[in-house]
């Protein structure tokens, strides 16, 4: 099947679904639009520049920018010239930038933003093969050996667009479109080779049943475009003529939701965990009748979740209760997300069942999916028939099977060509007949819904030989209003323990009821009241686990895991090995005396 190419799909959307605000960005005076016609003009102008700089079909071009209109301008300019886009996370370190650009052999880089310019300049001395840099939005002090994007596209016109259309028609579906480098949590990052067919098939097959509305739908783009999930979703929006509003950093998402009122949203579980934590924090600050109403509404949400998600029916009493709770509480929660979300997609990692149920109950429908960078990325989706806890059914033209050891294997047009310059690594995960080993453990139920239990490499093997999947336990702990984050440890140990980050806002509110106050997070995690509070939550939330899975001890940490402190990847997944190294002494203290299982606090 011919799915087309990225530039051909863009041209088709521009021609058939013209949009006066195809792209939106926040300037000094508020949100500003860019029409699809102007977007194409910029793409064509920049593509002409790349060709004049010597970019030929198959050449790798680095793309170093946050989520912004110029990201897609550069991407389609590169791929429309037959080039290969090599995205780099906008806040990447100079060392990792150097590695990626050296490994892929990029001779040209596009970067946007002063911070990106500075990081690129810091790495340039280590990149003798890098010939040209095109910079956007970098102020008046442009390095002498760099080209200014704004100047290059200023005079682009009809001739450039015609030339772009001609070049785009010569790009073949099987050509390499991008190298996406993995986060490298278990070694050097690998360059995943994805073709135009990989991307375009994933857009077509994963959204085959989704009803988009080019006139009224608005999507918000904040998942890093260096990551395949956010990139594929944005391709989906662009190819369906849907407005994209760009948000450069995740900290600006909350405000953007209130300003843009999006109807479509794609995010990773950590984003939903933070939204849930904020809701609980706000509820914990209420007093008197408002506090009681909030608590009652949360109870109604728990009881009505399966009805709201379409898995069960509800009686008149439940419907009446929900309607009142919606008027008093849920409608206000939805207003905090802009008030118009109708389709929300979650991917990147399993979403806790309790969180999914909560959002469905309050009127924010979240459809979980599953995939990997190597599969472009979507393999399964819960849309339109949602089943809680599952990652959905395989999308069209994708086959799944479960290996003898429980590993999920996948085959389809979205599966990568392989790892760039790494034939041995490719052979380890990709068979000659196209079956890809995902590295995830899971099972398919009788209706072909996929359930993921954990990453194969993340499984913890206790000293007794028992295998423990940490993610389900962590997800359960994070549903506590008093727990912000958690990481389970215990590989080769006698029992399972956890590093737990308390939620400062909710814990402080609870402590205040007893007249207890904390001057810092460090003082908070050292307090006996907090230890007992978290201990009770751990016991409550892990009561249904097998004995060998239960958390016997825990350490409380004063600060959350973040990208900046090295604890998270740029897609907000835990870097387990890094966290274990960072808190080696804390973990050793947890296991120092195995005779008496008890919590140990970090001082």
């Amino acid at each position: 099947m011919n799915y087309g190419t990225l530039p051909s799909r863009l041209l088709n959307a521009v021609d058939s679904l013209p949009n006066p605000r195809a792209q939106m960005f926040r300037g000094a005076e508020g949100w500003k639009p860019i029409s699809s016609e102007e977007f194409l003009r910029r793409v064509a102008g920049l593509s002409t520049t790349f060709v004049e700089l010597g970019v030929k079909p198959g050449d790798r071009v680095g793309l170093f920018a946050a989520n912004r209109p110029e990201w897609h301008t550069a991407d389609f300019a590169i791929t429309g010239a037959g080039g290969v886009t090599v995205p780099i996370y906008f806040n990447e370190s100079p060392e990792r930038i150097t590695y990626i650009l050296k490994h892929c052999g990029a001779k040209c880089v596009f970067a946007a933003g002063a911070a990106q310019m500075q990081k690129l300049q810091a790495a340039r001395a280590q990149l003798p093969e890098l010939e040209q840099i095109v910079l956007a939005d970098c102020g008046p002090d442009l390095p002498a050996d760099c080209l200014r994007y704004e100047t290059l596209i200023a005079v682009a016109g009809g001739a450039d667009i015609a030339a772009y259309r001609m070049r785009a028609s010569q790009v073949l579906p099987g050509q390499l479109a991008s190298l996406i480098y993995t986060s490298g949590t278990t070694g050097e990052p690998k360059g995943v080779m994805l073709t135009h067919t990989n991307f375009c098939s994933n857009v077509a097959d994963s959204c085959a049943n989704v009803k988009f509305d080019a006139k009224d739908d608005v999507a918000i783009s904040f998942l890093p475009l260096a990551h395949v999930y956010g990139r594929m979703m944005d391709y989906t929006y662009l190819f369906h003529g849907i407005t994209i509003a760009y948000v450069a950093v995740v900290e600006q998402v909350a405000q953007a939701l209130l300003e843009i009122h999006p109807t479509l949203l794609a995010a990773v579980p950590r984003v939903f965990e933070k939204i849930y934590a904020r809701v609980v924090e706000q509820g914990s600050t209420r007093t008197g009748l408002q506090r009681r109403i909030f608590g009652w509404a949360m109870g109604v949400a728990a009881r009505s979740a399966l009805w709201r998600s379409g898995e069960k029916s509800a009686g008149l009493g439940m419907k009446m209760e929900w309607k009142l709770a919606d008027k008093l509480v849920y409608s206000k929660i939805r207003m905090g997300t802009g008030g118009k979300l109708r389709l929300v997609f979650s991917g990147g990692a399993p979403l806790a069942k309790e969180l999914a149920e909560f959002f469905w109950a309050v009127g924010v429908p979240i459809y979980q999916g599953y995939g990997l960078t190597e599969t472009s990325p979507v393999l399964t989706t819960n849309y339109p028939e949602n089943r809680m806890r599952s990652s959905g059914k395989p999308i069209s033209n994708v086959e799944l099977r479960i290996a003898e050891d429980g590993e999920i294997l996948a085959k389809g047009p979205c599966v990568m060509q392989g790892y760039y310059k790494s034939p041995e690594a490719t052979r380890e995960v990709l068979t000659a007949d196209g079956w890809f080993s995902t590295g995830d453990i899971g099972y398919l139920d009788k209706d072909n819904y996929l359930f993921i239990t954990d990453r194969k490499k993340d499984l913890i093997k206790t000293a007794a030989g028992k295998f423990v999947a940490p993610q389900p336990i962590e997800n359960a702990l994070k549903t506590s209003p008093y727990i912000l984050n958690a990481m389970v440890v215990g590989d080769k140990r006698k029992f399972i323990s956890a590093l737990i980050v308390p939620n400062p806002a909710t814990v402080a509110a609870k402590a205040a009821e007893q007249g207890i106050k904390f001057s810092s997070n460090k003082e908070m995690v050292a307090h006996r009241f907090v230890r007992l509070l978290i201990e009770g939550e751990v016991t409550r939330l892990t009561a249904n686990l097998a004995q060998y899975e239960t958390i016997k001890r825990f350490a409380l940490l004063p600060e959350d895991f973040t990208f900046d402190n090295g604890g998270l990847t740029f897609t907000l997944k835990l870097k387990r090995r890094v966290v274990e190294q960072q808190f080696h002494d804390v973990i050793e203290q947890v296991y120092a005396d195995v005779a008496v299982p008890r919590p140990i606090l970090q001082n």
Side-chain angles (χ1 to χ4, degrees), residues 182-202:
T182 59
S183 57
T185 57
T186 57
E188 291 290 0
K190 296 188 287 287
V192 178
M193 297 190 290
L194 298 179
T195 66
H196 289 268
T197 290
N198 289 152
F199 281 119
C200 294
S201 71
N202 209 240

Side-chain angles (χ1 to χ4, degrees), residues 56-78:
K56 301 180 297 297
D59 284 352
R60 281 76 60 204
V61 180
L63 204 179
F64 185 34
N67 289 35
R68 53 191 298 159
E70 292 87 354
W71 201 101
H72 283 118
T73 301
D75 182 33
F76 285 105
I78 296 164

Side-chain angles (χ1 to χ4, degrees), residues 224-548:
L225 287 169
H227 180 226
V228 69
Y229 177 32
R231 185 171 173 185
M232 191 282 292
M233 290 305 302
D234 279 13
Y235 284 152
T236 301
Y237 305 144
L238 288 169
F239 296 164
H240 287 85
I242 294 166
T243 298
I244 296 179
Y246 296 86
V247 180
V249 292
V250 70
E251 289 78 12
Q252 298 172 354
V253 170
Q255 184 62 30
L257 290 172
L258 298 176
E259 296 172 346
I260 292 297
H261 307 289
T263 60
L264 308 173
L265 177 71
V268 294
R270 189 65 187 140
V271 172
F272 299 117
E273 290 165 4
K274 285 183 174 291
I275 293 174
Y276 175 77
R278 189 166 66 247
V279 169
V280 174
E281 287 174 15
Q282 292 170 348
S284 69
T285 62
R286 298 176 182 178
T287 59
L289 180 60
Q290 284 190 333
R291 180 73 173 267
R292 291 196 295 273
I293 290 174
F294 179 81
W296 166 78
M298 294 294 279
V300 173
R303 297 193 301 275
S304 64
L306 293 181
W307 160 55
R308 294 296 301 172
S309 64
E311 293 195 47
K312 285 187 177 181
S313 59
L316 180 60
M318 171 58 68
K319 292 180 180 179
M320 294 289 288
E321 267 196 295
W322 185 89
K323 190 172 183 180
L324 180 58
D326 183 59
K327 181 178 181 180
L328 297 175
V329 179
Y330 307 155
S331 60
K332 297 178 177 62
I333 293 174
R334 289 197 301 275
M335 289 306 297
T337 65
K340 292 186 177 181
L341 287 175
R342 68 177 189 87
L343 284 177
V344 180
F345 300 99
S346 177
L351 179 67
K353 173 178 175 286
E354 293 80 3
L355 283 181
E357 290 180 347
F358 167 78
F359 282 104
W360 271 96
V362 301
V364 179
I366 295 181
Y367 295 94
Q368 260 197 101
Y370 163 70
L372 305 94
T373 302
E374 290 88 343
T375 57
S376 310
V378 181
L379 291 172
T380 67
T381 179
N382 252 307
Y383 185 89
E385 298 174 352
N386 185 64
R387 181 166 295 184
M388 288 297 185
R389 291 180 53 245
S390 86
S391 293
K393 294 181 178 181
I395 64 173
S396 300
N397 300 310
V398 163
E399 298 177 70
L400 295 183
R401 69 186 187 196
I402 307 300
E404 290 185 3
D405 63 354
E407 184 173 5
I408 302 163
L409 309 179
K411 185 178 183 180
C414 60
V415 173
M416 68 170 181
Q417 282 191 333
Y419 296 119
Y420 189 60
K421 295 181 180 178
S422 301
E424 290 185 6
T426 300
R427 285 192 292 270
E428 288 177 4
V429 298
L430 195 60
T431 64
D433 57 350
W435 283 97
F436 172 68
S437 299
T438 66
D440 288 306
I441 302 295
Y443 64 92
L444 293 162
D445 72 4
K446 60 183 179 63
D447 298 317
N448 212 30
Y449 280 87
L450 178 68
F451 291 77
I452 301 167
T453 54
D454 220 299
R455 286 290 293 170
K456 191 173 181 179
K457 292 181 179 179
D458 289 344
L459 289 176
I460 294 171
K461 187 176 183 180
T462 67
K466 296 288 188 180
F467 284 97
V468 177
Q471 283 192 16
I473 302 172
E474 292 160 356
N475 286 340
L477 292 175
K478 287 185 286 188
T479 62
S480 165
Y482 306 113
I483 295 177
L484 198 60
N485 215 334
M487 191 182 92
V488 172
V489 297
D491 197 51
K492 300 181 179 65
R493 306 279 191 171
K494 290 187 176 181
F495 52 80
I496 297 301
S497 298
L499 302 176
I500 295 177
V501 183
N503 186 322
T506 54
V507 169
K510 188 69 173 177
E513 295 176 3
Q514 307 296 321
I516 301 171
K517 294 183 179 181
F518 311 117
S519 61
S520 66
N521 288 355
K522 189 173 182 180
E523 181 182 334
M524 175 188 68
V525 299
H527 201 284
R528 176 177 172 79
F529 172 85
V530 179
R531 184 196 70 195
L532 294 175
L533 176 65
I534 300 300
E535 185 175 28
E537 290 295 278
V538 170
T539 300
R540 176 177 69 85
L541 295 167
T542 60
N544 63 335
L545 297 179
Q547 178 62 27
Y548 65 87

Side-chain angles (χ1 to χ4, degrees), residues 101-259:
L101 294 178
K102 270 190 173 181
H103 189 267
C104 76
K107 294 185 178 180
C108 186
V109 174
F110 176 92
Q116 284 65 44
M117 176 186 71
Q118 292 166 6
K119 285 196 172 189
L120 196 55
Q121 287 300 105
R124 189 161 191 182
Q126 305 300 317
L127 298 167
E129 295 183 359
L130 181 59
E131 297 175 358
Q132 302 287 347
I133 297 178
V134 178
L135 296 175
D137 189 26
C138 288
D141 300 323
L142 201 72
D145 55 351
C146 296
L147 300 173
R148 189 182 296 277
Y149 161 78
E150 291 82 2
T151 302
L152 297 172
I153 66 165
V155 296
D160 295 283
I161 294 173
Y164 182 81
R165 290 180 182 274
M166 178 61 70
R167 285 193 301 271
S169 69
Q170 297 169 352
V171 177
L172 300 176
Q175 278 183 229
L176 191 61
S178 187
L179 292 178
I180 300 181
Y181 281 79
T182 59
S183 57
T185 57
T186 57
E188 291 290 0
K190 296 188 287 287
V192 178
M193 297 190 290
L194 298 179
T195 66
H196 289 268
T197 290
N198 289 152
F199 281 119
C200 294
S201 71
N202 209 240
V203 170
D205 292 340
S206 65
C207 298
N209 299 315
V210 181
K211 304 299 182 185
F212 292 114
D213 186 339
K215 180 181 177 182
D216 296 324
D217 272 334
V218 177
I220 188 167
S221 171
F222 69 93
L223 289 176
L225 287 169
H227 180 226
V228 69
Y229 177 32
R231 185 171 173 185
M232 191 282 292
M233 290 305 302
D234 279 13
Y235 284 152
T236 301
Y237 305 144
L238 288 169
F239 296 164
H240 287 85
I242 294 166
T243 298
I244 296 179
Y246 296 86
V247 180
V249 292
V250 70
E251 289 78 12
Q252 298 172 354
V253 170
Q255 184 62 30
L257 290 172
L258 298 176
E259 296 172 346

